[in-house]
Amino acid sequence: MTESSQLKELDKHPEKLLLEPTGEAEELQAKKRLIEAALYVAGYPLELKTLCSVAQIYSKRKVQELARSLAEEYKARNGCLEILELEDGRFVMQLKTEYVPRVRRLSIKPLLTEGPLRTLSYIAYKQPVPQAKVIDVRGPQAYEHIHRLQEMGLIGREKFGKSHLLRTTSVFSDYFGLSKELKLMKKQLEAMFTQAEKEATKRREEKTPASQG
Amino acid sequence: MTESSQLKELDKHPEKLLLEPTGEAEELQAKKRLIEAALYVAGYPLELKTLCSVAQIYSKRKVQELARSLAEEYKARNGCLEILELEDGRFVMQLKTEYVPRVRRLSIKPLLTEGPLRTLSYIAYKQPVPQAKVIDVRGPQAYEHIHRLQEMGLIGREKFGKSHLLRTTSVFSDYFGLSKELKLMKKQLEAMFTQAEKEATKRREEKTPASQG
Amino acid sequence: MSSRPREKPFWLRPPWQILFDLAKLYKVRPWDLNIARLLSTFLNEMRKTGYIDFAASGTALLSSSTILRLQSETIMKPEEPPETPEAKPMEPIPPALQLPFRYEFTSTTLDNLLAALEEILKIETVRKTIKVSPITPPVAEFFREYEQFTIQEDELEDFYVQLQQKLKGKATLPLSQLVKGKNRLETVRIFMILLFLASQGRIELIQEEEFGEIEIALNSELSEVDRILTT
């Protein structure tokens, strides 16, 4: 399939044969690296057309193939980074969630702390949820959390009678590679919560090894 | 070499044998991933002691070994990222230089907005500078800037009599590629500043050649 | 046969009328009424008229006792226990979801830093050259206006010695006597000095009644110390 699209590409741009005499495999490898570089630098999901322009590939399909193979490569490596293909076809590179609590303090960009993250979890799980309800459950400091989460584009706030309804945005779904379909997303979230709890317990245990010996 | 240091480590901390029944290789692999995560998140060079604390390894030498093996791994992969060991012993993950011009345009977010950036530049140029002086020159909104810059790890704030003294941190030097030695850094800044001014004047003169002719 | 309409007795006018209007009595806040003052002025007025109305006195007494009862009731009334807040619905809050971290190349370069520096130094120079002329008078001038109200340490000590002299053999000295023949400003100054001395605990100021005479007394403990020191 890759070969066929390569041929198609050459059909469309026969000048390539003259201009780029290096091996086609090497050429593709170089383009894949450009896609990787773009994803690393951006830090937000990139559309296929952006990747096309970076890698100087005219076909979205070809770029998609390359990006997917890159994602596979990352998966096989089993490192701390992952490349996700989002529902809408965009690609993003990120640090796997489980590493974040251990290294967050090194980030130059201020990251969300435990408090706002809990508020976010609650909103995600209960959405669409009235703001008043969130404040009630999470306390008055949740006003600040909501503001911050909204600023980061993770939640949306819409007028609902005299109050406001909160729900997560597509940016939120993008971060976790979650479905945009509410029911499905909640199911996915439940699984993540279970995982998160397990990891938190593990971290706590690691922090106090003496008490176990 | 790795094995001998593993044994040394176990000699020093025999409790590890009891606490961590998982395979030693797996354990080391996990620690290597933490180092990788730290380098990715920071984006600036990290000292061995920072890597020790992230990976929860007591020996600097062991961490160095792991970081070096990680650097080798990246080299073998031949991707767009590289891990370098600097002369002073720190490690950094970065995009290989040749990719930078091709993807730089995708980085759209500034490190700081104009206001905090000005406050930062003033602190860097005048450091160590009393907080009161910064507020005086930059206005009361500088309190917020100082808080933010401190949160980002770009400046440090130490008690000085009844007031506080501000100065930039090594994170600042690393981000902008400046010396960590205060005097030298100020000289670098002054030199660059003078250079920049000269260039600006030249540009202004070039723009209005008519008035000179 | 012209007969002037009979004048209302004085106690049906404020402030005493409250003592004769039971319906109103229960409406006011009991602690807003100063019974002692009401009753003493009531009796004074009655004496002035030369006609003692026992019925009115009796009613006034009854009302006063009612007010006292109401007052004591408010004191004795146990405070309402704070309402127990409604139990919050125990809702399980899911654990914090960690956002995956995405490294971002930031667009800020050293050039941006230098440009910012240039901008800020320019502003600083402009600020230095345009010194805003002060709107308020210089500090010294400002204080001169109030010089007459400032009290010097020496002045305080001198005054204290004089006061001790004047108080020799007396328990207290009325303020009115101390300021007799002084003008307004001097009176204010003396009063301020007294307040300073009182705040230092060297004298006591006693005022039995609102707007009544202020009596000055040396603080007994201190005067004892002074006595030992001076002998």
Side-chain angles (χ1 to χ4, degrees), chain C:
Chain C
M1 290 264 302
S2 68
S3 66
R4 260 177 44 190
R6 247 188 88 190
E7 234 179 78
K8 261 201 221 172
F10 75 88
W11 58 79
L12 292 183
R13 296 199 305 267
W16 305 284
Q17 120 229 61
I18 189 76
L19 295 171
F20 300 90
D21 189 344
L22 274 182
K24 230 179 189 176
L25 192 65
Y26 282 99
K27 281 181 193 157
V28 297
R29 284 187 299 186
W31 282 102
D32 286 348
L33 297 174
N34 183 343
I35 312 174
R37 203 176 162 80
L38 268 179
L39 281 184
S40 59
T41 49
F42 171 74
L43 289 174
N44 280 343
E45 284 293 316
M46 201 175 266
R47 270 191 212 109
K48 264 192 230 162
T49 59
Y51 170 70
I52 309 293
D53 184 327
F54 287 107
S57 304
T59 312
L61 204 62
L62 178 67
S63 301
S64 303
S65 69
T66 310
I67 295 167
L68 269 177
R69 182 172 56 79
L70 291 174
Q71 283 183 344
S72 60
E73 268 174 11
T74 61
I75 293 176
M76 303 304 287
K77 194 167 152 196
E79 268 183 34
E80 295 270 328
E83 275 181 33
T84 42
E86 267 181 51
K88 271 198 177 177
M90 282 297 285
E91 198 168 353
I93 298 173
L97 274 183
Q98 290 294 341
L99 279 183
F101 177 87
R102 293 171 183 170
Y103 176 77
E104 282 166 74
F105 232 56
T106 46
S107 55
T108 305
T109 61
L110 190 55
D111 288 340
N112 298 125
L113 185 78
L114 291 172
L117 183 61
E118 187 187 356
E119 208 56 39
I120 179 69
L121 291 181
K122 229 189 273 169
I123 295 169
E124 197 188 23
T125 331
V126 172
R127 272 204 193 161
K128 268 186 197 160
T129 45
I130 312 170
K131 276 242 167 171
V132 183
S133 57
I135 304 161
T136 48
V139 178
E141 220 170 278
F142 176 81
F143 277 115
R144 205 163 299 138
E145 270 185 52
Y146 294 93
E147 217 161 46
Q148 51 211 7
F149 295 110
T150 56
I151 312 287
Q152 302 294 329
E153 190 82 2
D154 299 348
E155 203 179 345
L156 200 73
E157 292 310 317
D158 291 347
F159 185 89
Y160 184 58
V161 173
Q162 283 172 28
L163 197 66
Q164 278 175 316
Q165 297 291 333
K166 283 183 185 163
L167 269 160
K168 229 171 213 168
K170 284 183 210 163
T172 60
L173 180 74
L175 176 67
S176 56
Q177 202 176 315
L178 201 63
V179 298
K180 209 172 188 179
K182 310 271 187 210
N183 66 23
R184 227 174 236 243
L185 194 61
E186 285 166 335
T187 309
V188 170
R189 286 185 67 81
I190 288 171
F191 189 61
M192 278 168 63
I193 293 173
L194 288 172
L195 288 178
F196 270 114
L197 290 171
S199 77
Q200 289 173 355
R202 296 157 91 174
I203 61 164
E204 273 180 55
L205 298 174
I206 307 141
Q207 189 176 30
E208 296 277 358
E209 282 177 60
E210 224 177 327
F211 302 107
E213 178 67 75
I214 295 175
E215 297 283 348
I216 305 153
L218 290 179
N219 190 318
S220 46
E221 266 175 61
L222 272 170
S223 44
E224 185 63 16
V225 174
D226 281 349
R227 195 183 56 77
I228 295 164
L229 284 174
T230 46
T231 51

Side-chain angles (χ1 to χ4, degrees), chain B residues 110-125 127 149 154-155 168 171-178 185-186 188-190 192-193 196, chain C residues 107-121:
Chain B
L111 176 70
L112 291 163
T113 50
E114 200 60 21
L117 185 66
R118 282 185 187 173
T119 305
L120 177 64
S121 74
Y122 188 77
I123 294 168
Y125 196 61
Q127 67 181 312
L149 294 169
L154 290 166
I155 63 164
T168 57
V171 173
F172 169 85
S173 305
D174 286 333
Y175 183 88
F176 290 105
L178 294 166
M185 186 216 283
K186 279 177 117 174
Q188 285 177 329
L189 274 176
E190 262 169 55
M192 283 184 289
F193 184 56
Chain C
S107 55
T108 305
T109 61
L110 190 55
D111 288 340
N112 298 125
L113 185 78
L114 291 172
L117 183 61
E118 187 187 356
E119 208 56 39
I120 179 69
L121 291 181

